[in-house]
């Protein structure tokens, strides 16, 4: 796997693939790689002939109070994992390549970014929209793979690609979980042993809530029950745990089995803020 650090070198490789009649997909990451990220590379391999992963801890999606400096960074380890997973190319630019002096353009997606994590993390999705727009334009691949783990991000990316006529096909890949159901995340490494045991309550609460809603428990009732379950389990605070329509992220007052619906949660445990989401079964059955 070759590592490139400039847009020129990146485009030279993806352009050569295109000229050779090969399709390609980009897998954007911030590093701290785990099996969830690698699954995107493997999933991408089933959709495209060549995979380019990107590794960039994007400062504009962190607020001043967040964990930018503490974010895990080990390029050599990440590169080794990507290579083993069958990645063809790694784009790992410096901040100065992505945001050269004089950079002044923002990308703001309205609506979808105002709820859930957008409400708790001011400016986060503006930073995500900015960097994803750049990465898609830089890589010029046929496809881009994003994890369902960050469902709101996935919807924001789909929206901006559509609105800005970016020709890259956006593909969603399923969430990879630990044995107890905890969604894999770079932030799980911030958890102590005790916190790690508690963390399994998050997917369990979401699962239970999704079943309750599919069996017509009023969403608000299921949500306040799940919030209490998380607090009782030992979570320090819950930013949100609620049901929304899957594509438009609108709150629901009653489950409609004809409208794809998901449950979403973000909660604090120790120094980590964990997020997760799941589909509400359409049939009301497990
Ligand atoms: P990040 O490095 O956290 O920005 O994530 C990079 C990509 O990996 C995003 O598309 C995430 O949705 C995806 N991702 C992160 N964790 C998982 C997981 N457990 N399962 C599947 N995809 C994931």
């Amino acid at each position: 796997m070759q590592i490139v650090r400039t847009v020129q070198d990146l485009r030279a490789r993806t352009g050569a693939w295109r000229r050779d009649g090969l399709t390609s997909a980009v897998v954007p990451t911030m590093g701290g790689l785990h099996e969830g990220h690698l699954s995107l590379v493997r999933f991408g391999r089933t959709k495209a002939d060549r995979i380019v992963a990107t590794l960039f801890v994007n400062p504009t999606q962190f607020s001043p109070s967040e964990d930018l400096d503490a974010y895990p960074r080990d390029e050599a380890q990440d590169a080794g994992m990507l290579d083993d997973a069958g990645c063809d190319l790694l784009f790992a630019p410096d901040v100065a390549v992505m945001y050269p002096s004089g950079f002044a353009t923002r990308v703001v997606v309205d609506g979808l970014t105002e709820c859930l994590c957008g409400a708790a993390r001011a400016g986060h999705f503006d930073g995500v929209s900015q960097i994803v727009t750049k990465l898609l334009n830089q890589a010029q691949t046929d496809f881009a793979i994003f994890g369902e783990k960050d469902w709101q991000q996935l919807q924001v990316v789909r929206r901006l690609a559509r609105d800005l006529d970016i020709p890259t096909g956006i593909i969603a890949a399923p969430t990879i979980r630990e044995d107890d159901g905890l969604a894999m995340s770079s932030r799980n490494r911030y958890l102590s042993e005790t916190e790690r045991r508690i963390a399994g309550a998050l997917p369990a609460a979401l699962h239970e809530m999704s079943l309750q809603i599919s069996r017509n428990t009023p969403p608000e009732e299921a949500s306040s029950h799940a919030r209490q379950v998380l607090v009782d389990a030992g979570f320090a605070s819950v930013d949100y745990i609620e049901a929304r329509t899957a594509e438009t992220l609108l709150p629901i007052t009653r489950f409609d089995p004809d409208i794809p619906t998901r449950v979403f949660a973000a909660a604090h445990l120790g120094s980590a803020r964990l997020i997760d989401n799941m589909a509400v079964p359409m049939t009301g059955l497990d």
Side-chain angles (χ1 to χ4, degrees):
M1 183 187 70
Q2 194 189 345
I3 302 180
V4 291
R5 301 193 187 278
T6 66
V7 178
Q8 199 181 18
D9 288 346
L10 169 65
R11 284 194 178 153
R13 286 297 301 275
T14 58
W17 292 338
R18 204 175 316 114
R19 281 191 297 281
D20 289 344
L22 299 169
T23 58
S24 59
V26 64
V27 177
T29 84
M30 295 208 301
L33 300 189
H34 50 69
E35 199 48 42
H37 296 107
L38 302 182
S39 77
L40 302 190
V41 171
R42 295 193 195 102
F43 192 72
R45 275 237 155 272
T46 69
K47 309 281 176 193
D49 300 314
R50 294 286 181 271
I51 303 294
V52 50
T54 72
L55 171 50
F56 182 65
V57 184
N58 176 35
T60 70
Q61 68 191 72
F62 290 78
S63 74
S65 65
E66 291 181 337
D67 56 352
L68 173 63
D69 291 338
Y71 204 84
R73 287 176 177 83
D74 186 341
E75 183 185 304
Q77 179 171 314
D78 289 341
M81 291 167 76
L82 288 167
D83 202 3
D84 290 346
C87 188
D88 299 287
L89 179 66
L90 174 61
F91 176 50
D94 284 341
V95 173
V97 166
M98 297 307 262
Y99 299 111
S101 135
F103 190 97
T105 301
R106 285 186 287 169
V107 181
V108 179
V109 176
D110 286 334
L112 287 173
T113 59
E114 283 147 30
C115 60
L116 301 174
C117 282
R121 302 183 68 189
H124 169 68
F125 285 114
D126 296 348
V128 169
S129 303
Q130 184 180 51
I131 198 68
V132 171
T133 302
K134 283 177 67 72
L135 289 169
L136 298 183
N137 283 330
Q138 290 169 336
Q140 299 186 331
T141 51
D142 302 282
F143 306 106
I145 320 284
F146 291 87
E148 291 184 351
K149 154 85 174 15
D150 300 281
W151 185 271
Q152 186 175 13
Q153 169 174 286
L154 174 64
Q155 300 314 313
V156 169
V157 169
R158 283 186 165 142
R159 186 75 255 163
L160 75 82
R162 232 178 284 150
D163 290 353
L164 300 179
D165 303 300
I166 297 175
T168 315
I170 307 300
I171 298 179
T175 301
I176 303 300
R177 300 179 178 279
E178 305 281 2
D179 288 345
D180 66 347
L182 180 66
M184 290 189 184
S185 165
S186 313
R187 294 187 163 98
N188 293 353
R189 65 186 73 186
Y190 302 148
L191 300 172
S192 69
E193 231 174 88
T194 311
E195 289 161 356
R196 175 62 193 82
R197 272 196 299 276
I198 294 170
L202 183 64
L206 275 174
H207 182 64
E208 175 63 22
M209 182 176 165
S210 72
L211 293 183
Q212 286 177 352
I213 289 174
S214 72
R215 292 170 186 146
N216 289 320
T217 302
E220 215 172 289
E221 191 183 315
S223 165
S224 51
H225 173 71
R227 181 179 284 267
Q228 193 58 52
V229 165
L230 292 182
V231 171
D232 292 348
F235 277 81
S237 62
V238 180
D239 282 351
Y240 59 80
I241 182 156
E242 56 193 57
R244 289 181 176 256
T245 56
E247 282 174 24
T248 44
L249 305 183
L250 297 173
I252 61 160
T253 50
R254 179 181 75 74
F255 177 55
D256 179 344
D258 291 329
I259 300 176
T261 302
R262 295 185 84 84
V263 287
F264 299 86
H268 295 262
L269 184 57
S271 60
R273 179 178 183 276
L274 303 180
I275 65 169
D276 200 353
N277 70 91
M278 287 177 197
V280 175
M282 306 289 279
T283 59
L285 296 174
D286 194 355

